[in-house]
Amino acid sequence: MKTLVIVCILISSSILTSQENKVLEPKLENIAWISGHWKGEAFGGITEEIWSEPSGGSMMASFKLINDGKVSFYEIEIIREIENSLILQLKHFNNDLKGWETKEETIDFPLIKITPNKAIFDGMTFEKINDNKMNVYVDIHQENGSIETVQFNYTK
């Protein structure tokens, strides 16, 4: 009996693990769970990120960081379908909407893969914890050439 219970547990965990690692098609509907109004903390302040539902071949978002009761910066983000894949692109703005990047420049994160609970882009990963919690991991390049991964823990 004890052996049967152990076998059942092993089979169940194997099925769950294979579901978590299943690679999904690079379609916006497979990451629609990102949409919503998310709030969290990072960079010593309060963060807010609002993602639209997929429509017109894209999703869009706005981001802001508030430190000491004032906006430090904003981002405009999009995820769009391009050449049978997805790409995440963004631009940064000061609190007065003066852009960090040049007029023609965007920060681009090509899609690596989608699983049932992750959208993994080159340099940014969205992880669904549950319907009301999401973690975002962003690789930030430092002046000394190193990369620091910043984790944003969001709730709806």
Side-chain angles (χ1 to χ4, degrees):
M1 183 67 167
K2 186 176 179 181
T3 304
L4 181 61
V5 170
I6 291 172
V7 168
C8 288
I9 290 171
L10 289 174
I11 289 171
S12 295
S13 69
S14 175
I15 290 170
L16 288 174
T17 301
S18 69
Q19 272 301 97
E20 288 177 8
N21 294 324
K22 179 182 176 186
V23 177
L24 305 176
E25 286 186 81
K27 303 286 184 192
L28 290 171
E29 61 260 20
N30 288 328
I31 61 167
W33 53 265
I34 294 173
S35 64
H37 189 159
W38 300 95
K39 293 182 179 183
E41 296 181 16
F43 301 120
I46 305 298
T47 56
E48 184 176 9
E49 198 161 323
I50 304 168
W51 279 96
S52 71
E53 293 281 338
S55 64
S58 71
M59 295 173 69
M60 66 176 177
S62 60
F63 168 93
K64 73 177 173 181
L65 171 66
I66 299 172
N67 284 318
D68 300 321
K70 295 182 182 178
V71 173
S72 295
F73 74 92
Y74 298 100
E75 288 178 359
I76 300 297
E77 305 171 69
I78 62 170
I79 299 174
R80 63 188 177 105
E81 295 176 347
I82 184 169
E83 300 174 6
N84 298 316
S85 191
L86 301 176
I87 188 166
L88 186 151
Q89 296 175 292
L90 63 82
K91 283 185 172 268
H92 298 90
F93 300 88
N94 290 329
N95 62 3
D96 62 359
L97 283 184
K98 291 189 175 135
W100 295 8
E101 292 81 25
T102 64
K103 182 178 175 181
E104 302 297 324
E105 182 183 16
T106 57
I107 308 298
D108 297 347
F109 302 87
L111 180 68
I112 295 174
K113 72 177 179 178
I114 299 172
T115 66
N117 67 337
K118 287 186 181 177
I120 304 168
F121 295 87
D122 185 9
M124 187 179 302
T125 298
F126 294 79
E127 177 184 35
K128 179 181 180 179
I129 305 303
N130 60 43
D131 288 342
N132 295 310
K133 290 186 179 184
M134 171 176 74
N135 293 335
V136 178
Y137 306 90
V138 181
D139 293 343
I140 298 178
H141 297 264
Q142 305 298 309
E143 289 181 10
N144 66 7
S146 66
I147 297 174
E148 176 188 353
T149 301
V150 176
Q151 180 175 337
F152 297 77
N153 299 320
Y154 284 122
T155 58
K156 280 188 179 178

